[in-house]
Amino acid sequence: MATYMTNNVLVSCLMFFLMIGSLNAKAADIKAICGKAKNPSFCTNYMKSNPKTSGADIKTLATITLGSAQTTASGALTKIQSLATKETNPALKKGYTSCVEQYKNTISSLDEAKKCLTSGDAPGMNIKVSAAMEGSTTCQDGLANVKADPSVVKDSGDFQNICGIVLVISNMM
């Protein structure tokens, strides 16, 4: 009987320490993440500018950066929609209109990426973020031969850099 009680206590203690250990998720290595990013200096500045990233575990960091990508894409879409509405140059209007459609697809892909993250599907998130990046790239390509608003190009570059960080994180999950 004493052995049974001792075993129960040992098993209970072991389970307790395992649960506590799993609750204390390890902070993500931001230096390693940024070292693998497409634009390491952008990544480092991005991480330093957001106090929520400090000490965050890898899944929290994925949530933060994916949310930032969604916010950036939504802001770009709003800006491009406004430019398309006001534009009188037919070639530029056509480019902006195409970008609106591309960014709508981008946002849809990011929404799917968020679902993948929530379900723990890092490879699926990676695929969806890569698809989202295609919309931004296609938009930039469509505006390459017309004199587009430079802020659209900057927003697209920022979006690409943030998504690049998400891709690195997804590969580390």
Side-chain angles (χ1 to χ4, degrees), residues 40-105:
S41 63
F42 178 92
C43 178
T44 301
N45 290 334
Y46 169 81
M47 294 294 186
K48 286 180 180 178
S49 71
N50 188 338
K52 293 179 183 177
T53 62
S54 179
D57 65 30
I58 196 81
K59 185 168 183 180
T60 302
L61 208 50
T63 302
I64 292 167
T65 54
L66 184 57
S68 184
Q70 288 178 301
T71 301
T72 303
S74 294
L77 174 61
T78 300
K79 181 185 291 182
I80 295 167
Q81 285 174 322
S82 175
L83 291 167
T85 302
K86 297 174 187 172
E87 188 55 54
T88 57
N89 176 324
L92 198 48
K93 187 173 190 78
K94 181 179 177 183
Y96 286 144
T97 302
S98 174
C99 284
V100 166
E101 292 308 310
Q102 293 301 324
Y103 268 96
K104 285 180 180 178
N105 292 335

Side-chain angles (χ1 to χ4, degrees), residues 110-162:
L110 291 173
D111 289 343
E112 291 175 23
K114 188 174 185 178
K115 290 176 187 171
C116 289
L117 174 60
T118 302
S119 70
D121 180 9
M125 180 179 76
N126 188 297
I127 290 167
K128 297 302 181 183
V129 171
S130 294
M133 292 173 77
E134 283 296 316
S136 170
T137 301
T138 302
C139 173
Q140 274 188 309
D141 292 347
L143 296 175
N145 297 323
V146 292
K147 191 170 180 155
D149 185 315
S151 68
V152 172
V153 176
K154 183 196 178 306
D155 290 348
S156 181
D158 289 348
F159 174 75
Q160 291 286 322
N161 284 321
I162 294 167

Side-chain angles (χ1 to χ4, degrees), residues 13-31:
C13 287
L14 180 63
M15 292 300 292
F16 174 77
F17 287 113
L18 284 173
M19 287 177 19
I20 293 296
S22 68
L23 291 176
N24 294 327
K26 183 179 155 198
D29 185 351
I30 291 176
K31 187 174 180 182

